[in-house]
Amino acid sequence: MEQVKTTEVGGTVSHLLMLCTIVFLGFLTLGISLGTLPDFVTSGLGFSSLMVGVVIGVQSAATLATRHYSGTVSDVRGSKRAVMTGLAFCAGAGVFYLVAGAFVAHPVGSLLLLIVGRLILGLGESLLITGALSWGIGLMGTHYSGKVMAWNGISMYGALAFGAPVGMWLASALSLEWAFVSVVALPLIAMIVADRLQGVAPAGNVRMPFYKVVKSIWRQGSGLALATMGFGVIASFITLYFAQQQWANASLSLTIFGASYILARLCFSHLPDKHGGRIIAFYSLLVEAAGLICIWMATSPQMAFAGVALTGFGFSLVFPAFGVEAVKQVAPQNRGVALGGYVAFFDLALGVTGPVTGWLAGFYGFAVIYLVAALAAVSAILLNQSAKAGK
């Protein structure tokens, strides 16, 4: 059983840093996977890029499908238990990768093993981040919800950005098997760290139905989903947009987005807790919308880079800002399922944004999808304001 928290704020900054280290180590498995699996599926197994999309995408589908389950585990069994179980599943995914690597002579069998591993990793990721958010808020107290979400977000995105090149380096400098071994080893190291961090008592023992979760947090979740379109169109299409405009250094866009995103969180993660999520969401969405309009109207790569920077800076605090308000909509014993449902809106938005905006770009060009994303951010502002007015 987890150690019971005796005060409302039982954690310190060092505890939060330990939790962020756990998340970073766990999410390195996702980054390493992104850096190694596409080449393995195409060059190693001889499948097409379409199958790469299936292998990569099935993990996101599993994550989305298990968000509510992960929240329930966190609430009923304890957030520490959710994190430890999630890390165990992440390590298990690495085992399936290793076995798949041993069956290269049988491509179909190897591919099926990879898909099973990706499904397991999706469940592991869902348990890990939902449990980590709930654990952090339980340790630090609800007055630090925004900071917990912001710092965990830095750990997640940092691990994804760092893990991909690390996985590619391991595969080229040593071997693909060593890259897969690291997918097994890193979550196990994270489990050792997690075992040393104090737990918090399970918040409740009653499973909250999914429809009640959605009914409680739909405004905050919908605002997050609308804002996520800006991130989705940059991540998916910015390089193609640059190519269409015949601009160089398209890859620099993602670096600029990531740098401005992390900068905003490092400098301003305390603002949602201090001033409330609604007001911070309002200004953040304004900045994001301005950035997306700048990209849409760009007449030079420098103008597009400026728009990307503004978008990353604005989007950065949207998640913790709306998240602070989402946590307020439910009782403490249902915090985990609320967080799981809230994050599911982000997953759903990413899954829908790519196909829908890609279809639009095929008819109207890539510039227009940044205008559409800007209008989505403005819609999120209106939704945020209607929630403030109590409509």
Side-chain angles (χ1 to χ4, degrees):
M1 182 179 291
E2 298 190 4
Q3 181 178 336
V4 178
K5 170 173 67 72
T6 58
T7 62
E8 182 184 1
V9 182
T12 64
V13 172
S14 64
H15 290 140
L16 185 55
L17 287 174
M18 284 182 66
L19 188 58
C20 290
T21 300
I22 294 164
V23 171
F24 181 81
L25 291 171
F27 270 78
L28 276 177
T29 61
L30 277 77
I32 290 171
S33 298
L34 293 175
T36 55
L37 292 185
D39 184 65
F40 178 57
V41 171
T42 54
S43 301
L45 300 180
F47 290 101
S48 67
S49 57
L50 173 62
M51 196 55 65
V52 173
V54 172
V55 170
I56 298 300
V58 74
Q59 181 252 316
S60 298
T63 300
L64 174 61
T66 56
R67 287 295 188 192
H68 185 248
Y69 167 76
S70 300
T72 301
V73 171
S74 182
D75 287 336
V76 177
R77 304 296 298 277
S79 51
K80 184 172 182 177
R81 173 70 66 86
V83 168
M84 295 289 275
T85 304
L87 290 168
F89 277 119
C90 289
V95 173
F96 273 88
Y97 289 0
L98 283 168
V99 177
F103 280 84
V104 176
H106 305 280
V108 174
S110 180
L111 182 70
L112 290 175
L113 287 167
L114 274 185
I115 291 174
V116 173
R118 295 292 292 171
L119 289 170
I120 292 173
L121 186 62
L123 174 57
E125 179 206 339
S126 182
L127 285 163
L128 172 57
I129 193 57
T130 304
L133 291 173
S134 183
W135 193 357
I137 295 172
L139 277 175
M140 305 298 294
T142 55
H143 294 303
Y144 295 93
S145 298
K147 180 167 286 189
V148 170
M149 294 180 193
W151 285 27
N152 274 283
I154 292 173
S155 300
M156 289 169 52
Y157 287 104
L160 292 173
F162 183 69
V166 166
M168 295 172 67
W169 176 83
L170 285 171
S172 60
L174 299 175
S175 67
L176 184 64
E177 286 73 22
W178 276 107
F180 290 165
V181 165
S182 69
V183 175
V184 179
L186 288 167
L188 297 179
I189 296 171
M191 290 178 73
I192 296 173
V193 179
D195 189 57
R196 298 179 59 188
L197 182 61
Q198 72 179 73
V200 295
N205 55 14
V206 179
R207 184 178 184 271
M208 187 177 184
F210 183 69
Y211 75 91
K212 288 188 176 181
V213 177
V214 174
K215 185 178 179 181
S216 298
I217 64 167
W218 74 269
R219 289 184 186 275
Q220 295 76 26
S222 298
L224 173 65
L226 290 166
T228 300
M229 283 189 65
F231 167 62
V233 293
I234 288 177
S236 301
F237 300 112
I238 195 67
T239 55
L240 296 176
Y241 179 45
F242 267 62
Q244 187 181 68
Q245 299 296 324
Q246 297 183 338
W247 294 335
N249 301 316
S251 61
L252 187 58
S253 299
L254 296 177
T255 303
I256 292 172
F257 181 92
S260 61
Y261 181 96
I262 292 174
L263 178 64
R265 289 208 167 184
L266 288 175
C267 296
F268 303 112
S269 63
H270 63 289
L271 292 182
D273 296 320
K274 183 177 180 180
H275 298 290
R278 285 188 184 131
I279 188 65
I280 301 306
F282 174 78
Y283 287 112
S284 296
L285 289 164
L286 278 180
V287 174
E288 180 184 354
L292 290 164
I293 290 173
C294 189
I295 299 173
W296 169 56
M297 298 179 64
T299 55
S300 67
Q302 291 76 22
M303 188 173 176
F305 287 145
V308 167
L310 282 173
T311 305
F313 197 88
F315 178 65
S316 180
L317 293 183
V318 170
F319 184 96
F322 276 126
V324 165
E325 297 303 317
V327 169
K328 294 178 182 177
Q329 307 307 310
V330 299
Q333 59 265 31
N334 299 126
R335 183 185 299 139
V337 292
L339 288 167
Y342 176 66
V343 178
F345 279 91
F346 174 82
D347 298 329
L348 184 61
L350 283 184
V352 171
T353 295
V356 171
T357 56
W359 177 80
L360 284 173
F363 284 96
Y364 304 106
F366 288 104
V368 74
I369 64 177
Y370 297 96
L371 173 61
V372 171
L375 294 175
V378 172
S379 299
I381 293 174
L382 298 176
L383 187 64
N384 184 47
Q385 292 302 102
S386 73
K388 183 177 181 180
K391 295 180 181 178

